[in-house]
Amino acid sequence: MSGGTDKTRIAILGASGYSGAETLRLVRGHPGLAIAVLCADRRAGEDIGAVFPHLAGLGLPRLTRIEAVDWTGIDAVFCCLPHGTTQEVVAALPEALTVIDLSADFRLTDTNTYAAWYGHAHLAPDLQEQAVYGITELARDRLPGARLVACPGCYPTGALLPLAPLVANRLIDAHDIIIDAKSGVSGAGRAAKEAMLYAEVAEGVHAYAIGAHRHGPEIEQELGLISGAPVAVNFTPHLMPMNRGILSTIYVRLADGAGAGDLRECLAGRYGGEPFVRVLPEGESPATRHVRGSNHCLIGVFADRLPGRAILISAIDNLVKGAAGQAVQNLNVVLGLPETAGLEQQALFP
């Protein structure tokens, strides 16, 4: 702690984007964190209220450029920068800072895999070796004291939370997994894109990055580590005409002798004490409207009509559990703060 306060002083880089604004919203209500710096290069000099009117009037520091920041007294940084820009930025930060990265820049542990999927060489391979891949519930033992945490993608979060315990307990075939995921448009970020125009998105649903989405190798990486052997999954994302949320429908082949009830029992046992992951009773299905604005993940388990198969369904808010909420949750664990601090709000409904 620093700055004459018992609160951890934090900076948010990329505060003018959706994940940056959501991080700011959550940190503003956190009893143990204080916002000291807000960065947004293109909007430097402006008040955050000019960028996001819902955040006006909070007495927050004005937006500034990263190069202009005096890091004296800053304890931790949330990097909410676009993919491909974070590696060099983090490499230039003081080593004493705790860094929670919401981009994809440190998620893939193999730098060659990163280069293949992101189109350029990894720019900070030494830092990559320090990064902890941070789905909080699955990485809690590796987070305390970490210097750099790579927050997972939103799609991998929604897929790995239901899949990881089942793969670890050999209840499903790790080589026969189909993930059909549907996301709101905020997952594409705030930059102007033709494909994100209202007329392009409203009143329709479409698949994209078919067979080539960058979150595929991220999911495979983590399931491969759990299973002890390389894993390949079928993953197809779809864009929905809604602002927030991810609904993942996951089709799995059961291990010999296992049934849908065994999967539910395994997941309920694994997440029974977790504050943000809830396994629903038999017959109940998650919905994105039940997690909107919250850090929760809801999981449902169903027997398929096809023998030997089951269906998992998970729902998260892509901007909270899929981004800013998980980032705050990770920092809480890194610093030894109460894990639920700043994250106790319930979902907004309707």
Side-chain angles (χ1 to χ4, degrees):
M1 310 299 177
S2 51
T5 176
D6 60 355
K7 292 188 176 184
T8 298
R9 289 166 54 83
I10 67 107
I12 299 175
L13 312 186
S16 61
Y18 289 140
S19 62
E22 196 71 347
T23 302
L24 192 163
R25 180 179 74 88
L26 296 174
V27 171
R28 185 62 172 72
H30 194 297
L33 303 181
I35 298 172
V37 173
L38 295 175
C39 291
D41 285 2
R42 289 187 300 105
R43 309 299 294 266
E46 296 185 48
D47 186 89
I48 190 65
V51 182
F52 291 109
H54 72 291
L55 298 174
L58 299 178
L60 296 168
R62 297 182 77 82
L63 297 168
T64 187
R65 296 179 63 84
I66 296 173
E67 296 81 1
V69 175
D70 178 0
W71 297 105
T72 304
I74 306 301
D75 302 296
V77 175
F78 288 103
C79 286
C80 307
L81 301 169
H83 306 321
T85 65
T86 302
Q87 291 159 3
E88 290 182 298
V89 170
V90 173
L93 294 175
E95 291 187 8
L97 291 172
T98 298
V99 179
I100 310 295
D101 181 28
L102 282 73
S103 82
D105 281 17
F106 294 98
R107 293 172 186 164
L108 295 176
T109 57
D110 184 85
T111 55
N112 291 325
T113 302
Y114 175 87
W117 283 90
Y118 287 88
H120 64 87
H122 199 289
L123 302 176
D126 292 342
L127 279 175
Q128 181 62 63
E129 296 177 1
Q130 302 177 27
V132 175
Y133 184 83
I135 293 184
T136 318
E137 290 78 9
L138 305 180
R140 193 175 285 117
D141 61 335
R142 294 180 287 119
L143 287 170
R147 193 257 163 155
L148 171 59
V149 178
C151 293
C154 49
Y155 285 124
T157 297
L160 289 169
L161 281 169
L163 284 171
L166 304 182
V167 170
N169 286 277
R170 309 288 194 241
L171 289 172
I172 61 173
D173 182 351
H175 303 283
D176 189 353
I177 297 172
I178 302 170
I179 303 167
D180 180 319
K182 299 172 178 63
S183 174
V185 295
S186 59
R190 203 183 190 203
K193 304 180 185 74
E194 182 178 296
M196 297 297 109
L197 293 172
Y198 179 83
E200 303 286 335
V201 175
E203 301 181 34
V205 179
H206 69 270
Y208 66 98
I210 301 168
H213 196 283
R214 292 166 171 175
H215 286 177
E218 187 180 332
I219 296 169
E220 293 172 347
Q221 167 184 278
E222 296 305 303
L223 292 181
L225 290 172
I226 294 168
S227 69
V231 169
V233 301
N234 292 108
F235 167 59
T236 305
H238 300 73
L239 192 66
M240 300 292 290
M242 61 185 185
N243 290 333
R244 293 173 177 256
I246 288 180
L247 189 75
S248 300
T249 304
I250 305 168
Y251 305 91
V252 297
R253 181 179 297 279
L254 296 164
D256 290 344
D262 299 306
L263 305 192
R264 184 180 299 104
E265 182 179 353
C266 173
L267 291 169
R270 174 62 178 81
Y271 296 124
E274 294 290 346
F276 299 120
V277 182
R278 184 160 64 93
V279 180
L280 301 183
E282 182 177 358
E284 291 190 19
S285 180
T288 57
R289 65 179 178 274
H290 297 155
V291 296
R292 183 171 179 265
S294 80
N295 196 50
H296 293 99
C297 173
L298 302 182
I299 301 174
V301 182
F302 296 84
D304 199 336
R305 67 180 183 84
L306 302 177
R309 301 194 68 89
I311 302 169
L312 312 170
I313 301 177
S314 73
I316 63 171
D317 185 320
N318 59 292
L319 290 178
V320 190
K321 186 56 175 169
Q326 186 148 249
V328 172
Q329 189 181 355
N330 281 333
L331 183 61
N332 286 340
V333 178
V334 169
L335 298 177
L337 300 173
E339 190 170 323
T340 59
L343 299 169
E344 295 176 329
Q345 59 272 28
Q346 296 301 305
L348 298 172
F349 184 86

